[in-house]
Amino acid sequence: MDLKKLSDQYRDELLNNVLPFWLQNSQDKEFGGYFTCLDREGKVFDTDKFIWLQGREVWMFSMLYNKVEKRQEWLDCAVQGGEFLKKYGHDGNYNWYFSLDRSGRPLVEPYNIFSYTFATMAFGQLSLATGNQEYADIARKTFDIILSKVDNPKGKWNKLHPDTRNLKNFALPMILCNLAMEIEHILGKDYLERAMNTCIHEVMDVFYRPELGGIIVENVDINGNLVDCFEGRQITPGHAIEAMWFIMDLGKRLHRPELIEKAKNTTLTMLEYGWDKEHGGIFYFLDRNSFPPQQLEWDQKLWWVHIESLISLLKGYQLTGDKQCLDWFEKVHDYTWAHFKDPEYPEWYGYLNRRGEVLLPLKGGKWKGCFHVPRGLFQCWKILETISLQTFPGLLNIAETQFKSIY
């Protein structure tokens, strides 16, 4: 593969296709915030506003402003979304609602912890872009609330009967691995390293199961044991693979090459486990005992699963030089660009059936917004750009990391 050419491909798709789509179609110039329910052409088909997608778009344009270019239109887009969130997104005590109507009136109570995590990410990046201390304070206060809810993320809105089958889910420690680094400038170095080590332990010691061949399970009981029920048998390949590039980032940040190696190997294991060998692509859900999954959409192919896999594979190759990562990257890249990219209109499809045919032609909805596609394009662009300049990808990084960890 021509890695420089690939780098240009990802960059051009981000800057000339995907970002203009969201800038032009998603901003609500009357009430503030963003429309996320956009059809194939970018027309709005529902005006409800979902807090975690609002937060993700604030984060996206703030991050790009901070890391790519100081474009005023990116900052303006982020600030107007942040101001809408600040005014309407929470109950006054930074308990973040799940959804609002177009004007900002709450529709669904603050039961979903990911409204909190993406609000934290949003205001963390926005504080860097603007220098506004109020935004940093919102991020820190919300992060503290997240930590207080770790044992019961849904709080009083939890519908499960207590003390019968107490499970903990992989998604929260997974996202905290990324969130801690996102707000390092707010948390401080010492606090950050304690938080990172806790998250790493949960992901790589509790949910990672060597007795199952090195796969990651989605739920365990509160003592970290496997449970034989629908939720306990659930495997979500995309979640596991996405988490592995968070872990690789942490491994690099903490100078722990053994952690990078383990995360890279887990990425390869989960891809082999989750790949549809008949039709191609990565399954959405699986059952670890090969029983029928409870989710009827288990065999669908979703955009974020494939894009996050591309990031993990490139990071694995960049940091270790393992060519298995590059081989898998080529395979996933070919599938992703052939099936999810719309050849006629901007942005990408999100939902395919098992055969790889478009299931829903929407470009955004209740769950898909301005996040995984542009973040993935940005990450792949920058990693490919770096790799193309390296003679021996992985070797220099690992040698330097090992030296620092020893001395």
Side-chain angles (χ1 to χ4, degrees):
M1 290 186 293
D2 184 335
L3 299 185
K4 178 61 171 66
K5 185 177 179 180
L6 276 173
S7 173
D8 293 343
Q9 178 180 341
Y10 280 87
R11 179 201 63 206
D12 293 346
E13 183 71 9
L14 173 67
L15 299 180
N16 301 328
N17 180 353
V18 172
L19 292 181
F21 174 88
W22 291 102
L23 280 170
Q24 293 165 14
N25 299 312
S26 73
Q27 295 188 79
D28 185 346
K29 299 297 179 65
E30 183 177 353
F31 289 97
Y34 313 108
F35 301 117
T36 61
C37 297
L38 305 173
D39 70 11
R40 186 185 181 195
E41 299 178 35
K43 297 173 184 174
V44 178
F45 66 85
D46 194 285
T47 60
D48 286 352
K49 294 172 179 173
F50 308 96
I51 295 300
W52 66 345
L53 295 186
Q54 301 292 306
R56 283 173 162 187
E57 190 156 348
V58 172
W59 176 85
M60 178 58 61
F61 282 101
S62 300
M63 182 277 292
L64 293 169
Y65 180 84
N66 291 331
K67 295 186 177 181
V68 176
E69 185 180 337
K70 303 295 184 188
R71 291 194 191 184
Q72 190 62 43
E73 63 176 348
W74 292 352
L75 182 60
D76 291 344
C77 180
V79 169
Q80 72 87 5
E83 286 296 311
F84 180 83
L85 273 179
K86 184 181 78 172
K87 186 173 182 179
Y88 300 112
H90 58 90
D91 65 356
N93 294 310
Y94 302 110
N95 294 302
W96 297 87
Y97 297 114
F98 177 76
S99 62
L100 315 171
D101 71 7
R102 182 183 178 187
S103 66
R105 294 178 301 178
L107 292 172
V108 178
E109 297 283 10
Y111 80 95
N112 192 298
I113 195 67
F114 299 105
S115 295
Y116 296 71
T117 60
F118 290 109
T120 304
M121 283 178 62
F123 286 102
Q125 277 293 327
L126 194 57
S127 71
L128 282 177
T130 62
N132 187 329
Q133 183 60 40
E134 182 185 15
Y135 294 153
D137 292 342
I138 293 172
R140 180 56 195 257
K141 289 174 183 176
T142 304
F143 185 73
D144 288 341
I145 294 172
I146 293 169
L147 295 183
S148 74
K149 292 165 68 72
V150 165
D151 292 333
N152 184 15
K154 293 185 179 181
K156 65 182 181 181
W157 298 283
N158 196 332
K159 65 183 180 181
L160 298 178
H161 188 81
D163 301 325
T164 301
R165 183 185 286 158
N166 292 329
L167 301 179
K168 58 181 179 178
N169 182 264
F170 176 71
L172 183 55
M174 162 206 161
I175 203 67
L176 287 176
C177 288
N178 182 239
L179 183 58
M181 292 189 69
E182 278 289 329
I183 58 171
E184 179 175 3
H185 62 289
I186 296 170
L187 296 178
K189 181 180 178 181
D190 292 342
Y191 187 97
L192 174 72
E193 293 199 359
R194 289 198 303 273
M196 287 193 296
N197 284 319
T198 299
C199 295
I200 290 167
H201 166 70
E202 285 289 302
V203 171
M204 302 306 286
D205 296 327
V206 177
F207 290 94
Y208 171 85
R209 311 302 299 203
E211 73 272 31
L212 299 178
I215 63 173
I216 286 177
V217 297
E218 193 71 13
N219 296 285
V220 294
D221 72 15
I222 56 173
N223 297 314
N225 299 312
L226 295 173
V227 181
D228 188 10
C229 63
F230 275 123
E231 292 81 7
R233 294 191 303 269
Q234 179 181 328
I235 306 296
T236 314
H239 258 173
I241 295 168
E242 181 181 5
M244 289 308 100
W245 74 259
F246 299 163
I247 295 292
M248 286 185 231
D249 280 352
L250 292 175
K252 186 176 180 182
R253 170 70 174 72
L254 296 171
H255 312 303
R256 291 180 56 184
E258 82 288 349
L259 188 60
I260 296 171
E261 185 73 14
K262 185 176 180 180
K264 179 266 295 181
N265 289 337
T266 305
T267 296
L268 295 173
T269 297
M270 292 304 305
L271 263 170
E272 184 65 38
Y273 186 90
W275 187 260
D276 183 346
K277 296 173 178 58
E278 182 177 354
H279 296 285
I282 304 163
F283 287 118
Y284 192 11
F285 297 110
L286 293 168
D287 184 287
R288 62 180 169 85
N289 288 343
S290 300
F291 296 143
Q294 66 171 324
Q295 296 89 354
L296 301 182
E297 69 275 24
W298 70 274
D299 64 346
Q300 289 179 18
K301 311 295 166 61
L302 269 67
W303 82 108
W304 69 267
V305 174
H306 294 75
I307 292 166
E308 298 301 330
S309 297
L310 292 171
I311 301 171
S312 281
L313 290 165
L314 281 180
K315 282 187 185 284
Y317 179 64
Q318 179 190 27
L319 295 171
T320 72
D322 188 336
K323 291 193 175 181
Q324 291 181 87
C325 292
L326 205 57
D327 293 340
W328 263 109
F329 171 78
E330 184 173 12
K331 189 173 183 177
V332 179
H333 165 91
D334 289 346
Y335 182 91
T336 301
W337 283 79
H339 292 85
F340 289 102
K341 178 175 168 55
D342 184 342
E344 297 181 41
Y345 295 98
E347 244 288 345
W348 291 17
Y349 298 121
Y351 303 90
L352 312 176
N353 64 21
R354 182 175 179 182
R355 294 183 298 276
E357 300 159 342
V358 176
L359 190 63
L360 295 171
L362 59 78
K363 298 299 176 60
K366 186 175 181 177
W367 310 108
K368 183 180 187 292
C370 181
F371 188 65
H372 286 287
V373 173
R375 183 178 72 168
L377 292 170
F378 169 76
Q379 285 278 343
C380 291
W381 160 31
K382 289 300 180 180
I383 299 168
L384 284 162
E385 187 176 64
T386 302
I387 293 173
S388 68
L389 299 175
Q390 292 177 318
T391 306
F392 301 105
L395 301 180
L396 179 62
N397 304 53
I398 291 296
E400 179 186 19
T401 303
Q402 288 174 329
F403 180 86
K404 288 179 179 178
S405 67
I406 294 170
Y407 298 99

